[in-house]
Every structure is written in structure tokens, then in C-alpha cells.
Amino acid sequence: MLERLEVEIFLTLAEELHFGRTAERLLLTTGRVSQVVRQLERRVGGPLFERTSRTVRITPVGRRLADDLAPLVAGMDEAVRRAVDANRGVTGELRVAFLGEGTAPVLLKAVALFAERHPDCRVDVREAQLANTRSSLLDGSVDVLIASYPFDGMACGPVLMTERRVLAVAAGHPLAERESVSLEVLADHPVVQYPAVTSVAFKRDRTPDRTPSGRPVPKGPAGGTFSEMLTLVALGRGVLPVGEHSRRYYPRPDLAYVPIHDAPPIERGPVWSEGNTTARVREFVRAAADAAAAGD
């Protein structure tokens, strides 16, 4: 078994490729770093680094060992962090956000139940925009986001709400008077697109490239926000599949919302970065699920 110090020295040197900087980062002497590396090389039976008076290079064996060890160390650190969180209890600050007016009521119920259970943790609530949902989760400015699925690349919690899909069209559009439409009509009209930063999986679900029968769907212009996308629809630049809650939260005299009778429902719930799975996040997701179940 490797000792933790051996692993830390080895991984740091693999990153820095400099004995002096490695020693400085770990608050050790250069001699101690060299000694540990030699011991480790004797243990594995060969060189892990190639040294000259000017450079340090990692060997192929050393690179493979570093690639194998790094995720194991990260997992150990995460386990310790979770244990610390558990002992401290749920305190501090939790930053939660919602995407779209329709998710706000669900979020507020979750916040109320979480605050009741964990009064020592302050909850900051904000609204997110299409352009910054992923970046805000990655940079840590938002801990949990209530958004639509699929949201690939992130941890996703239980489904908190579902809604039927409807087709947003201009008020004077030929489809506006229909009782319902099929997904196949998307092949006959340009479909307004989501911003470029939106994930591929989400776009494939909301604005597919082809209809269920395989007919190509023409692409319309893209909007920067959901309101901009609806404005493009109202201008007659295209149609847009949306959730039925848009009738309530985005009522406009220049738009009509027509049910899509053969589309699966839209699902929404909590989303967060896997690397930010703290006790606060876990407890908020649990509170959100309990609040949604109580409201059913």
C-alpha cells in the first residue's frame, strides 16, 4: 500500500515536473521529495521520472500510474469532505436558481421545506437565463438549478414536475386554430432554435432534427432568451415546441399554444454539478422531492 504522502508527492511532481516547485507546494524540502520518489521507484521496480540537470520528464509508466491514482485520490478527498459535512450539519449558504417562470413555484416550495428543516442554512434564490445555466453550475455561483431535462453533463435529481408539450405559433398562423397537432408538422415549418450554448441533448429533445417518421425539420433563427424565441415565433419566423405552462406564464395576444398530441411530456427537476454534491445540496434535493410529493 502506498502512503498518502507518497501519493501526494508523486502526483504533484507529475503535475509540476520540477522538484523545487513540488517541495514548495507541499511544504517539504527538495531532498525529502527526491527521497520519497526514489523509494516509490524502488517499489514499482523502475523509473517514474527521467531527470537531467535541467528537466524532469515523466515516463510512460509514471504517466499511467498518475492517471490511475488521480481519480482514486479525488474520491478519497470527496469521501472525507462528505464526512466533514455530515458532522458539521447543514449550515452556511445554499445558492439555488430556477430557469423559467413555470419552475418558480416548485422551487419556492422546496426552499420553504428546506428552510424549515435546516434553519441554520441561508438560501439565496435567483433566476437563471438560458445562456448561463451551465456556466453558473460549473463556476459554483449556483449550487442547485431547477431546470428541464435532459441536462447532460450534470447530476440530475428526481422529476419534480411534468407538463404536456404544446406548439407555440403566431396568432395568425394556419395551425393556430387546430385543436391539436402532431410532431410531424415540424417538418412543414421552420423551428426556432435555442442559443448555441444549450446542450446537444436538450436541443435534440426540444427542437429535433427529424420528426418521428424521419422527415427533416427545417431550422429557423435562434433566440438568446426564451422571450426572444417567443418573439421570433410571434413575428412568423418559425414555430416552437414548449411546455403547456407557457400558456400561463407567457400569455401573449400575438401567440397561440396548440397541444401536441403525440409528444412525450416535459420533465423538470433539480440539477447540480457532480463535484459539488455537498450535504446542503443533498438535503435540498431531498426537500424538493418531498415538497413535490406532498403537493401531488
Side-chain angles (χ1 to χ4, degrees):
M1 294 290 293
L2 296 179
E3 295 182 2
R4 181 57 186 258
L5 180 60
E6 291 178 309
V7 174
E8 287 184 352
I9 289 175
F10 169 71
L11 290 178
T12 306
L13 184 57
E15 178 184 341
E16 294 285 354
L17 295 179
H18 191 281
F19 280 81
R21 288 195 297 269
T22 297
E24 183 177 350
R25 275 182 55 179
L26 299 178
L27 303 178
L28 299 170
T29 65
T30 303
R32 179 60 172 152
V33 172
S34 298
Q35 178 189 26
V36 170
V37 171
R38 286 195 300 269
Q39 291 173 348
L40 186 55
E41 289 177 327
R42 285 196 296 270
R43 182 174 298 186
V44 301
L48 298 173
F49 298 93
E50 296 175 354
R51 300 96 144 157
T52 69
S53 59
R54 295 178 176 227
T55 62
V56 176
R57 290 183 298 183
I58 192 167
T59 65
V61 173
R63 173 49 57 199
R64 180 173 179 178
L65 180 60
D67 291 343
D68 288 343
L69 285 176
L72 299 178
V73 172
M76 291 171 59
D77 290 341
E78 174 62 19
V80 171
R81 184 162 65 88
R82 287 196 297 265
V84 170
D85 284 341
N87 282 326
R88 286 179 177 173
V90 180
T91 60
E93 181 183 35
L94 181 73
R95 294 152 297 189
V96 297
F98 62 95
L99 179 60
E101 297 293 334
T103 61
V106 173
L107 175 64
L108 295 179
K109 290 179 182 178
V111 169
L113 182 56
F114 177 85
E116 179 183 330
R117 291 175 174 177
H118 308 286
D120 293 330
C121 184
R122 179 178 178 272
V123 182
D124 176 35
V125 179
R126 65 190 70 174
E127 182 180 9
Q129 300 298 326
L130 286 171
N132 67 2
T133 52
R134 186 173 299 274
S135 61
S136 64
L137 290 169
L138 291 174
D139 66 21
S141 57
V142 168
D143 296 309
V144 184
L145 171 71
I146 305 298
S148 299
Y149 299 151
F151 205 115
D152 49 319
M154 294 289 169
C156 298
V159 174
L160 302 181
M161 58 184 293
T162 61
E163 58 180 311
R164 294 188 305 168
R165 299 188 198 221
V166 298
L167 188 66
V169 300
H173 195 280
L175 298 176
E177 299 302 320
R178 296 270 196 96
E179 289 188 7
S180 69
V181 295
S182 166
L183 284 171
E184 291 298 323
V185 302
L186 298 182
D188 303 323
H189 308 276
V191 174
V192 172
Q193 301 295 301
Y194 280 84
V197 296
T198 312
S199 75
V200 173
F202 181 87
K203 291 179 188 176
R204 189 182 300 121
D205 179 79
R206 294 294 190 278
T207 56
D209 294 327
R210 293 187 177 274
T211 67
S213 69
R215 299 167 64 201
V217 176
K219 294 183 182 296
T225 66
F226 188 67
S227 293
E228 285 183 11
M229 296 171 71
L230 291 180
T231 297
L232 290 171
V233 172
L235 290 171
R237 307 286 175 81
V239 300
L240 179 65
V242 298
E244 67 177 341
H245 288 174
S246 297
R247 295 178 187 268
R248 176 180 179 183
Y249 293 103
Y250 299 93
R252 294 175 51 154
D254 52 3
L255 291 177
Y257 296 101
V258 186
I260 305 175
H261 59 74
D262 57 354
I266 289 176
E267 298 179 332
R268 307 181 194 274
V271 177
W272 68 97
S273 172
E274 189 72 47
N276 188 35
T277 310
T278 62
R280 288 187 293 270
V281 169
R282 289 193 299 272
E283 285 301 305
F284 181 81
V285 171
R286 188 168 71 90
D290 291 345
D296 291 342

